Amino acid sequence: QKEVEQDPGPLSVPEGAIVSLNCTYSNSAFQYFMWYRQYSRKGPELLMYTYSSGNKEDGRFTAQVDKSSKYISLFIRDSQPSDSATYLCAMGEDTGRRALTFGSGTRLQVQP
Amino acid sequence: DGGITQSPKYLFRKEGQNVTLSCEQNLNHDAMYWYRQDPGQGLRLIYYSQIVNDFQKGDIAEGYSVSREKKESFPLTVTSAQKNPTAFYLCASSPSTGGYQPQHFGDGTRLSIL
């Protein structure tokens, strides 16, 4: 079983829809949670960063962390065709030198 | 503009050949990383470096080598011992290592076998 599970999609939605992207994880030591957006043939770019449980909002994006369920979500409101990309979740532990652990990514297509 | 530059964008390797992928950053970050990305498998850590002249193996280091002679540079060599090198290679950096540090990525090098 992978430490971080993410549905690969593709997820296809109409423009203006609310999108929900999710990751589950098994390592209870994860305390830091990130979402990256990756356009085709480009490197991932950081979208959201949260610590421990709770919500964080930035414009049309909201990140939620539920540590009791080991479940994180990214919501995109009023989705746009420019949001079409692969979304990767990433997680990190509080201590040590361990680098981030990434999900495999969900491909999102927003249809105009 | 601060960022990470990877070159070349595309690289082709012949059988038995070693190839080197370049990664340069001007973010003044101490930590640098190399990942391999295959379809459906996410990012897998090859090597990382916390500081100049020091580096550690990641999850899939076999068939790869790195050096860190300068803070801003972390080249990756894909050796002939790596039997399945076709993949998208991503370099990243962060102020230091640790799970609390978000990483910043370059735009990758796509390596293919001739």
Side-chain angles (χ1 to χ4, degrees):
Chain A
Q1 186 192 4
K2 291 181 181 177
E3 267 191 305
V4 178
E5 298 277 0
Q6 189 174 6
D7 188 326
L11 177 62
S12 184
V13 301
E15 184 175 353
I18 296 174
V19 175
S20 172
L21 303 165
N22 311 294
C23 288
T24 59
Y25 63 94
S26 56
N27 184 353
S28 57
F30 286 143
Q31 296 277 3
Y32 302 91
F33 304 92
M34 299 156 211
W35 285 95
Y36 286 82
R37 178 175 62 196
Q38 185 177 21
Y39 292 113
S40 181
R41 291 185 285 278
K42 293 287 192 180
E45 58 178 308
L46 182 68
L47 267 182
M48 300 289 282
Y49 173 86
T50 53
Y51 170 69
S52 196
S53 286
N55 292 1
K56 183 173 183 179
E57 190 173 319
D58 184 1
R60 296 185 296 111
F61 299 91
T62 299
Q64 282 187 354
V65 175
D66 182 349
K67 290 191 69 184
S68 62
S69 301
K70 296 190 178 68
Y71 188 88
I72 70 169
S73 300
L74 177 71
F75 296 96
I76 307 174
R77 289 183 298 282
D78 187 25
S79 56
Q80 303 295 309
S82 58
D83 295 327
S84 298
T86 296
Y87 290 80
L88 300 154
C89 61
M91 308 180 185
E93 298 180 22
D94 206 12
T95 59
R97 303 181 307 170
R98 184 84 175 101
L100 298 176
T101 301
F102 285 83
S104 56
T106 298
R107 191 155 64 92
L108 171 67
Q109 290 179 303
V110 181
Q111 307 292 343
Chain B
D1 255 343
I4 298 175
T5 302
Q6 289 188 243
S7 61
K9 273 190 156 345
Y10 300 94
L11 188 57
F12 297 90
R13 195 191 89 169
K14 294 180 183 177
E15 294 287 343
Q17 188 181 43
N18 293 352
V19 291
T20 297
L21 284 59
S22 170
C23 177
E24 303 276 333
Q25 55 101 356
N26 61 4
L27 299 167
N28 200 32
H29 286 170
D30 282 322
M32 296 188 74
Y33 312 81
W34 274 105
Y35 291 91
R36 171 179 170 140
Q37 187 174 32
D38 295 279
Q41 295 205 43
L43 301 180
R44 293 186 289 167
L45 183 65
I46 304 172
Y47 269 97
Y48 65 99
S49 168
Q50 287 184 289
I51 199 167
V52 174
N53 293 323
D54 178 68
F55 46 83
Q56 308 294 328
K57 291 182 180 179
D59 300 320
I60 55 164
E62 186 175 346
Y64 300 97
S65 65
V66 293
S67 63
R68 186 88 186 275
E69 296 175 4
K70 297 187 296 182
K71 184 175 182 176
E72 58 270 23
S73 178
F74 191 40
L76 173 74
T77 297
V78 183
T79 74
S80 56
Q82 173 49 245
K83 296 307 177 190
N84 182 23
T86 297
F88 190 47
Y89 290 87
L90 287 161
C91 178
S93 72
S94 60
S96 62
T97 56
Y100 59 95
Q101 294 280 5
Q103 295 171 16
H104 302 266
F105 287 84
D107 276 339
T109 292
R110 189 165 299 278
L111 176 62
S112 302
I113 295 296
L114 278 179

